[in-house]
Amino acid sequence: MSTIATKLPAKPIKGPGLTTPGVVILQFLFIFLIQAFELQFLSDANDPVTGILTGLAIVIAFGGGLYLGRTGTAYASAVNPPIAFLISTVFLLITIGGTGLHPTSFGPAIVKSLAKEAPFLIVGAIIGWGGYFARRKAVKA
């Protein structure tokens, strides 16, 4: 009788993993592209805010940075996604979001986008900082 051992799939990155700049760029591009897709194809013309796909991209970016990064990149994995989300939101709302830099349309749109993604940012922060402190504790032990 043979036993079937289940193994996790191999990491798509060979070697020790992504460096800190690699993690930051990967997280930013992932959030940016998903948010651009959502703004372009799934948002209402009168209400250019992001939704659940961008939120899931934020949470995946937190976990993906921890999974794909090498030792010492956990801090960047925990800090970068909210910053990347803010930068991509500002850029995308001005360009394809249709708000421009008009304070009466840009201000409410940025506040709505940040508020709509707040639960995902909180869950992602718990994941990211939990991973950071767990790795930090493992290194000290």
Side-chain angles (χ1 to χ4, degrees):
M1 182 182 272
S2 68
T3 56
I4 300 173
T6 59
K7 293 177 11 179
L8 289 174
K11 286 186 181 182
I13 298 172
K14 302 297 180 208
L18 293 174
T19 60
T20 299
V23 168
V24 169
I25 290 170
L26 183 68
Q27 287 177 328
F28 176 77
L29 285 176
F30 185 68
I31 292 170
F32 182 82
L33 292 174
I34 298 296
Q35 188 175 14
F37 173 80
E38 192 168 27
L39 277 173
Q40 184 68 32
F41 298 111
L42 302 177
S43 71
D44 186 12
N46 298 327
D47 191 22
V49 295
T50 55
I52 194 162
L53 288 180
T54 302
L56 292 174
I58 291 168
V59 173
I60 291 169
F62 274 108
L66 290 171
Y67 179 68
L68 296 175
R70 63 175 64 172
T71 304
T73 61
Y75 182 77
S77 298
V79 170
N80 183 56
I83 297 168
F85 172 67
L86 177 66
I87 292 169
S88 66
T89 300
V90 169
F91 181 76
L92 290 171
L93 284 178
I94 291 171
T95 56
I96 66 173
T99 63
L101 280 174
H102 305 290
T104 56
S105 58
F106 178 72
I110 192 89
V111 170
K112 280 186 199 177
S113 289
L114 292 173
K116 205 167 190 181
E117 303 303 333
F120 297 103
L121 288 167
I122 291 170
V123 168
I126 291 169
I127 292 168
W129 286 108
Y132 168 72
F133 287 121
R135 286 188 178 186
R136 188 171 151 198
K137 185 177 179 181
V139 168
K140 286 184 178 180

